[in-house]
Amino acid sequence: MNPHPVTITVTGRAQRRFKPNRCTVHLSVHSDGSTREKASEPVTAAVNTVTDLLTSLSEQPDSPLQRWSLDQLRHDRYRPYHSEAKKRPWVYRSTASVKAIFKDFSALGTFIDEVSEMDEVEVGRINWWLTPKATAKRTAQVRDLAVRNALAKAQGYTQGLGYSEFTAVAIADPGMLGLTTGRHGYDESPMPVAARVMAAPSGYNGDGEERQVIELEPDRITLYADVEARFEAVKTEVETQS
């Protein structure tokens, strides 16, 4: 064998895009009034309607919900700004927040459509994400692709040098072999969604007309992984003597 093997150190990189398997919907419920009662009553009614919808979804045999939560009803008051610094009457505000995590997106569009019709309810952030178990499984797939990428790089180097054989001597996470560049993880998609209206109606509105529902199409989440690998390349005796 050649007494002077060549050491090759490379970074393997890969990334893939996956569909999220969870969606968190944040709702804000609020109302203003000249008295605390006038502010709180609409919020209480809206919260009851929203929680009834969520309870109905959660009690289905194959519920599309993973879980949901309701923040306590909060009350506050403030005086509106006046340019001449005159004291205006108090304005009372009542607020509440609701969070729902969907695992089946088929019911998501209908739910958002229904709660959006309430004046006191505002649909806030929509977070698309992967569960830890799904993230670990898919990251392992991407990491395997990164290892293959490192192997392909090493093969390219050995062929360019005219070496026919190489052996992996080390493989590690980014930074472990002295290389400073590297990534590992995923880019969460907090909001980017594309909405389209389904051609088929999902039901009827109060006037008896067919009602169409918005179906949300989430952007895919990018998972990426880097690995560092070290190889030792050699020439065979036949190749060396030739």
Side-chain angles (χ1 to χ4, degrees):
M1 303 292 286
N2 188 344
H4 302 292
V6 174
T7 299
I8 301 172
T9 304
V10 297
T11 298
R13 294 179 174 177
Q15 68 178 37
R16 288 293 184 274
R17 293 170 61 80
F18 298 93
K19 289 183 178 181
N21 64 348
R22 293 293 185 275
C23 178
T24 304
V25 180
H26 299 265
L27 304 179
S28 175
V29 188
H30 57 84
S31 178
D32 292 342
S34 57
T35 65
R36 177 171 173 171
E37 290 73 20
K38 290 183 178 180
S40 63
E41 288 177 359
V43 172
T44 301
V47 166
N48 289 337
T49 301
V50 172
T51 55
D52 285 346
L53 287 172
L54 293 172
T55 300
S56 176
L57 289 173
S58 63
E59 291 177 348
Q60 293 180 6
D62 189 13
S63 175
L65 284 175
Q66 177 172 318
R67 63 178 181 271
W68 64 273
S69 61
L70 167 66
D71 192 10
Q72 65 180 353
L73 190 63
R74 301 177 183 274
H75 306 282
D76 196 4
R77 65 176 184 173
Y78 64 94
R79 292 188 186 275
Y81 171 78
H82 194 283
S83 60
E84 298 179 358
K86 293 182 179 180
K87 184 178 291 186
R88 290 184 170 179
W90 288 107
V91 174
Y92 293 81
R93 166 165 289 191
S94 295
T95 59
S97 59
V98 180
K99 182 174 71 174
I101 300 178
F102 283 78
K103 58 183 179 181
D104 181 357
F105 302 156
S106 61
L108 184 57
T110 301
F111 173 75
I112 291 179
D113 184 58
E114 290 182 357
V115 298
S116 297
E117 290 184 350
M118 291 181 277
D119 294 336
E120 297 79 17
V121 178
E122 178 180 346
V123 179
R125 302 191 314 276
I126 299 178
N127 296 89
W128 306 93
W129 51 286
L130 287 165
T131 59
K133 182 177 180 180
T135 299
K137 179 179 179 181
R138 287 159 177 74
T139 299
Q141 298 172 359
V142 179
R143 190 184 300 115
D144 181 65
L145 294 175
V147 172
R148 296 183 186 185
N149 178 252
L151 180 61
K153 283 185 179 180
Q155 288 176 326
Y157 284 130
T158 55
Q159 291 174 1
L161 294 171
Y163 285 50
S164 60
E165 296 183 3
F166 69 97
T167 304
V169 296
I171 187 166
D173 288 337
M176 300 299 292
L177 297 184
L179 304 181
T180 57
T181 59
R183 301 180 304 166
H184 180 75
Y186 74 91
D187 295 327
E188 185 174 346
S189 176
M191 185 58 189
V193 295
R196 63 183 177 86
V197 178
M198 296 175 60
S202 65
Y204 298 88
N205 60 20
D207 298 327
E209 298 177 349
E210 290 184 342
R211 176 180 177 182
Q212 293 180 323
V213 176
I214 294 176
E215 180 180 335
L216 299 178
E217 296 288 351
D219 192 12
R220 291 174 179 257
I221 294 174
T222 301
L223 290 172
Y224 52 84
D226 288 1
V227 298
E228 295 178 2
R230 185 163 289 151
F231 300 87
E232 193 171 84
V234 296
K235 287 185 179 180
T236 64
E237 288 188 18
V238 175
E239 291 173 328
T240 304
Q241 292 173 359
S242 62

